Amino acid sequence: MKKISSAVIRRLPRYYRTLKEMEREGIERTSSLAMGQRMGLTASQIRQDFNNFGGFGQQGFGYKVTELRGQLASIIGLDAENGYSFVIIGAGNMGRALGRYTRFSREGYRLLGAFDDNPAVIGTEIDGVPVMPMEQLVDFIRQNSIDIAVLTVPASAAQNVADMLADTPIRGIWNFAPVDLVMPPSVVVESIHLTDSLMTLTYRMGQCGEESPESAE
Amino acid sequence: MKKISSAVIRRLPRYYRTLKEMEREGIERTSSLAMGQRMGLTASQIRQDFNNFGGFGQQGFGYKVTELRGQLASIIGLDAENGYSFVIIGAGNMGRALGRYTRFSREGYRLLGAFDDNPAVIGTEIDGVPVMPMEQLVDFIRQNSIDIAVLTVPASAAQNVADMLADTPIRGIWNFAPVDLVMPPSVVVESIHLTDSLMTLTYRMGQCGEESPESAE
């Protein structure tokens, strides 16, 4: 498959989200124009994005909402038979909030374990899942073939933990630590840098009046 | 000032973060090359980014870390006299976790109030700040000249709350609801779409082997 730009990749979940919204509203058919109006994109931008994946729908007839949503789910990888398993590393406030975020389980992401090095939280639970000591992390991942590690440890610990993960079957790290992780190419890293995002907001507030588009995240 | 691309704007906090890291490590002088190595960017990319703001440092002598960090803080707007005040709307798990995230207060962001419509959480506290009923939101923002609203309400409520905020002195919305908000241009919206980010990770895991750069967020 030809190389697809990261901007297009980042729009895939937005398309998927928009189509789910339309499904909930009972809309059965849509068009690039109608989707674009909801998303602040032009119809030609959407058609161009979809062409990266061979195109969908039929010229002049638009898209069937449920069918297109299914096609996008398959491209994103949401149709994997057993979904995705994940562990949370760092069972502080943010780790716990993410563990309890019901949208993830709805899309097939299953929290199987949580880890921390703080004796005060080891043995507690997140949504019924036990918080275990860090020493058990690597074995747990191997034994349970965990797909994704959610990293909510302090900045100072993040790279060390990531190095431990490099030796496991983990395929993706969802990193919330304010650090740019260095990982071998076999592990995908996707970061949410909260403070960076808040600072971007602040910068744009200072420029306001000139322009203020919705986040392009 | 000429229009600066959103990719450059999103790198500003990363530069700032990298320089703080260097300060903590006791590094006094740096170069585009050394910064680039930490950040996975080329030296010329960094110089080009900095040229958007008139350039820093002196050809051949590099940058003084603390001075450059200060210049970037000023560009981002972190040197505002009293920092920034914010409220959290939606005092669930995510709202509470964000309210307790100490990095924000360290950078001058002050949580002044939290709001929810759930009687079970109204009257509780987040880091000493009371959770108040939604009916008090608009008056509270006006009376306290709140700068930023952090939106951690369910998707179905997000646009309604945003519409309420449009009539207040709020200048920025940091949106965590999985919705693309529509706001007047006087209010800047920056969104963290958690599920979108997790799906982007999943997509890239499926493509893995071809490439896996650090998140470009």
Side-chain angles (χ1 to χ4, degrees), chain B residues 8-182:
Chain B
V8 175
I9 291 167
R10 278 171 199 288
R11 277 195 290 275
L12 282 177
R14 280 185 69 200
Y15 289 126
Y16 178 79
R17 179 155 50 84
T18 303
L19 290 160
K20 280 200 101 170
E21 224 174 76
M22 290 179 162
E23 269 189 319
R24 267 196 305 273
E25 295 171 19
I27 298 170
E28 290 180 9
R29 283 183 161 281
T30 188
S31 62
S32 305
L33 190 67
M35 289 184 69
Q37 280 166 345
R38 285 194 185 224
M39 299 175 64
L41 299 171
T42 64
S44 89
Q45 171 77 80
I46 294 183
R47 279 190 295 265
Q48 210 175 309
D49 281 2
F50 287 178
N51 280 339
N52 281 288
F53 306 96
F56 308 111
Q58 209 182 327
Q59 189 71 42
F61 288 88
Y63 314 102
K64 293 182 185 160
V65 171
T66 301
E67 188 179 302
L68 180 56
R69 204 257 304 138
Q71 285 166 315
L72 288 172
S74 157
I75 289 169
I76 295 170
L78 298 178
D79 57 351
E81 196 169 348
N82 293 307
Y84 296 89
S85 56
F86 70 100
V87 292
I88 286 175
I89 310 177
N93 294 315
M94 189 55 63
R96 285 174 182 274
L98 291 170
R100 290 177 177 136
Y101 198 64
T102 48
R103 275 184 184 263
F104 302 152
S105 56
R106 241 182 276 158
E107 297 293 353
Y109 297 88
R110 290 166 294 119
L111 174 64
L112 293 193
F115 297 85
D116 207 296
D117 60 6
N118 178 356
V121 299
I122 293 169
T124 63
E125 290 192 347
I126 302 178
D127 234 22
V129 166
V131 180
M132 295 168 271
M134 284 298 287
E135 295 74 49
Q136 297 177 18
L137 173 67
V138 169
D139 282 347
F140 186 90
I141 289 173
R142 289 196 181 126
Q143 281 157 18
N144 296 280
S145 305
I146 301 294
D147 299 308
I148 297 171
V150 179
L151 210 56
T152 44
V153 296
S156 55
Q159 185 62 53
N160 281 344
V161 174
D163 290 343
M164 288 170 62
L165 294 172
D167 282 330
T168 71
I170 280 285
R171 296 160 55 210
I173 297 181
W174 200 24
N175 171 45
F176 285 75
V179 168
D180 297 319
L181 297 177
V182 180

Side-chain angles (χ1 to χ4, degrees), chain A residues 177-189:
Chain A
V179 167
D180 297 319
L181 296 178
V182 180
M183 287 301 281
S186 57
V187 182
V188 178
V189 178

Side-chain angles (χ1 to χ4, degrees), chain A residues 14 17 75-76 84 103 109 174 180 185 189-191 193-194 196-197 202-204 208 212 214-215 217, chain B residues 14 17 75-76 84 109 174 180 185 189-191 193-194 196-197 202-204 208 212 214-215 217:
Chain A
R14 281 184 68 200
R17 178 155 50 83
I75 289 169
I76 295 170
Y84 296 89
R103 275 185 182 262
Y109 298 88
W174 200 24
D180 297 319
V189 178
E190 173 79 17
S191 292
H193 289 309
L194 291 169
D196 288 16
S197 172
T202 310
Y203 172 83
R204 290 173 52 212
C208 195
S212 68
E214 163 78 350
S215 162
E217 182 221 358
Chain B
R14 280 185 69 200
R17 179 155 50 84
I75 289 169
I76 295 170
Y84 296 89
Y109 297 88
W174 200 24
D180 297 319
V189 178
E190 172 80 15
S191 293
H193 289 309
L194 291 169
D196 288 15
S197 172
T202 309
Y203 172 83
R204 289 173 53 213
C208 196
S212 69
E214 164 77 350
S215 161
E217 183 222 358

